[in-house]
């Protein structure tokens, strides 16, 4: 009996680093949604809000370029673990205190936190999606973040309504405040583990991923429309806690579907793109239980669309300027509703049309998985390795579904049963 070749024996578990990557993206998604919805960018017409949004976009691109210029191993334009850690520490270290304070200090901190969070999320997506099977890992993290934001966003909106504008610092209730602190600490802990996971895992980043700009439309579609439990509950005529639980369950189903490593047939990808697009279009215009069904179906299908959009057969050309431009494009997409409201003399008509356009861009990116062959007709190189098949029932990522589910159940138990007052749907808070 001969012993196996040591080179053929895997050194580590096939899922090493995957839960950390997914959780990091989930928390960064929450921080982006929370800072963008905090009111630092006033939803009003005028040059001031427009210049603020443009300045944030420019600062995001500049911050990404400066961070990517620091020494790091690997492909140019793909941030290394240390760069992702620096971006995460900046985002969590600024966003959590900004959301826990009020007054002039909160405005200053939130502006800086918005730049840091909008820089950290796209860079982390690039780091995660740059490996074989990384598109699904990135989509898993973004969808987990949508589920977390469904619950935490409801808590922050409830606290803001209870305290009102001009509240004193520290007025945030202990529950949401503690959740923010725990999320920030857990994001830093997940980023710390990226270096060791990349050093030991068999799937290091192999090339700069394509279509990372899709993160911007994804944040608009998932966090500001489909996962908005307040509007969905008001339009459906149900309690916000009940709507939040349904939306969290829908995002959990979407994540569970992503745990299957088998590729989806083209018909399934087309159907998922159509469901996301129809769900986003239906949420602002329908009333009754159909709104809840449309939002839940869109969340279930969004994971498949995101995974297809962030997966490509051939990596993009390397380079720091390309990644910095893609990061700035993500920030521009997230902040585009505020910019259009500030510049639109019709009072927000263009901003209302923006969300269906963002959904169409997301759906279109999810349909286009194949990339053109390079000049000369050479075939695209095959991936370095295929994703390891781990059954969903034993995949450790499934445990990351528990925080949002537990928070949603607690919200149902302690919140009131009356639906929120119905109102006109708006994209920006």
């Amino acid at each position: 009996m001969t012993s196996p070749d040591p080179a053929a024996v895997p050194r580590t578990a096939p899922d090493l680093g995957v839960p950390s990557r997914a959780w990091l993206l989930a928390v960064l998604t929450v921080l982006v949604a929370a800072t963008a919805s905090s009111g630092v960018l006033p939803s009003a017409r005028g040059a001031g809000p427009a210049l603020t949004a443009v300045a944030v976009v420019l600062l995001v691109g500049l911050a990404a370029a400066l961070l990517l210029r620091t020494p790091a191993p690997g492909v140019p334009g793909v941030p290394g673990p240390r760069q992702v850690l620096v971006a995460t520490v900046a985002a969590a270290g600024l966003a959590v205190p900004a959301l826990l304070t009020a007054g002039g200090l909160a405005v200053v901190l939130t502006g800086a936190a918005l730049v840091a969070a909008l820089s950290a999320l796209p860079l982390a997506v690039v780091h995660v999606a740059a490996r074989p099977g990384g598109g699904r890992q990135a989509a898993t993290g973004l969808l987990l973040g949508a589920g977390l934001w469904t619950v935490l966003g409801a808590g922050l909106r409830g606290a803001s309504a209870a305290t009102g504008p001009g509240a004193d610092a520290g007025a945030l209730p202990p529950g949401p405040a503690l959740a923010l602190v725990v999320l920030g600490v857990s994001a830093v802990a997940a980023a710390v583990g990226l270096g060791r996971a990349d050093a030991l895992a068999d799937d290091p980043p192999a090339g700069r991923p394509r279509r990372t700009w899709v993160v911007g439309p994804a944040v608009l579609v998932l966090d500001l429309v489909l996962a908005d439990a307040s509007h969905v509950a008001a339009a459906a005529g149900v309690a916000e806690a009940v709507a939040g639980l349904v939306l969290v369950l829908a995002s959990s189903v979407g994540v569970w579907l992503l745990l299957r490593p088998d590729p989806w047939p083209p018909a399934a990808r087309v159907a998922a793109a159509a469901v996301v697009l129809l769900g986003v279009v239906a949420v602002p215009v329908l009333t009754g239980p159909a709104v809840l069904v449309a939002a839940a179906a869109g969340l279930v299908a969004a994971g498949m669309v995101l995974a297809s959009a962030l997966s490509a057969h051939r990596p993009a050309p390397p380079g720091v300027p390309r990644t910095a431009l893609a990061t700035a494009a993500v920030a521009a997409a997230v902040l585009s509703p505020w910019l259009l409201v500030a510049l639109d003399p019709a009072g927000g008509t263009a901003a209302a049309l923006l969300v269906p356009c963002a959904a169409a861009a997301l759906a279109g990116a999810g349909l286009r998985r194949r990339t053109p062959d390079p000049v000369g007709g050479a075939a695209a190189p095959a991936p370095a390795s295929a994703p390891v098949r781990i059954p969903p029932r034993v995949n450790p990522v499934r445990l990351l579904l528990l925080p949002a589910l537990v928070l949603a159940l607690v919200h149902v138990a302690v919140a009131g049963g009356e639906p929120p007052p119905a109102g006109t749907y708006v994209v920006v808070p």
Side-chain angles (χ1 to χ4, degrees):
M1 181 176 180
T2 60
S3 59
D5 183 8
V9 178
R11 297 177 299 156
T12 58
D15 57 351
L16 179 66
V18 177
S20 296
R21 298 180 199 123
W23 185 253
L24 173 63
L25 293 183
V27 177
L28 289 177
T29 301
V30 171
L31 294 181
V32 168
T35 51
S37 303
S38 61
V40 66
L41 293 178
S43 305
R45 283 177 287 173
L51 291 176
T52 302
V54 172
V56 169
V57 172
L58 294 177
L59 289 174
V60 166
L62 179 61
L66 292 176
L67 184 59
L68 290 171
R69 290 293 183 185
T70 58
V75 181
V78 176
R82 185 173 299 179
Q83 294 167 322
V84 175
L85 174 60
V86 171
T88 302
V89 170
L94 289 170
V96 173
L99 294 169
L100 296 179
T101 58
L105 178 60
V107 174
V108 175
L109 287 177
T110 306
L114 193 58
V115 173
L118 286 173
S119 302
L121 178 60
L123 292 179
V125 169
V126 172
H127 175 81
V128 173
R131 67 196 72 242
R136 289 197 182 219
Q137 297 177 27
T140 299
L142 293 172
L143 197 54
L144 280 170
L148 280 172
W149 174 242
T150 298
V151 182
L152 187 60
L156 292 178
R157 284 189 296 267
S160 177
T163 56
D168 295 331
L172 199 64
L178 179 61
L180 283 173
V181 173
V182 171
L183 286 177
V185 173
S186 65
V188 174
V192 168
L194 291 182
R196 180 178 179 274
D198 283 0
L200 297 178
D202 296 325
D203 58 346
R208 197 173 69 87
R210 293 181 179 271
R211 298 190 290 273
T212 51
W213 55 264
V214 80
V215 176
V219 171
L220 279 181
V221 169
L222 294 180
D223 301 315
L224 300 184
V225 179
L226 297 179
D228 185 359
S230 178
H231 170 74
V232 171
V238 300
E240 184 175 0
V242 174
L245 178 60
V246 172
L247 297 179
V248 169
L249 289 173
S251 64
S252 301
V253 172
V255 170
W256 193 268
L257 294 177
L258 290 173
L259 300 183
R260 299 176 62 254
D262 301 319
W264 295 291
R269 292 190 289 111
V270 172
V275 169
V276 171
L277 182 57
L278 292 176
V280 172
V281 172
V283 165
V285 298
L286 295 181
T287 57
V291 178
L292 191 57
V293 174
L299 285 174
V300 171
M304 188 184 303
V305 175
L306 274 171
S308 299
L310 294 172
S311 302
H313 296 291
R314 184 166 57 88
V320 170
R322 296 173 183 270
T323 303
L325 287 175
T327 304
V330 171
V334 174
L335 301 181
S336 55
W338 285 267
L339 182 61
L340 291 179
V341 167
L343 298 178
D344 184 15
T349 303
L353 296 176
L354 174 68
V355 173
C357 294
L362 176 61
L367 292 176
R368 187 172 179 267
R369 287 194 68 238
R370 296 188 179 275
T371 57
D373 291 337
V375 177
S385 61
V388 181
R389 296 177 179 271
I390 306 175
R393 66 181 180 277
V394 297
N395 195 314
V397 178
R398 77 192 190 283
L399 300 178
L400 301 180
L401 299 171
L402 294 178
L405 289 172
V406 170
L407 290 174
L409 290 173
V410 171
H411 193 200
V412 170
V414 302
E418 292 296 325
T424 302
Y425 178 78
V426 291
V427 182
V428 295

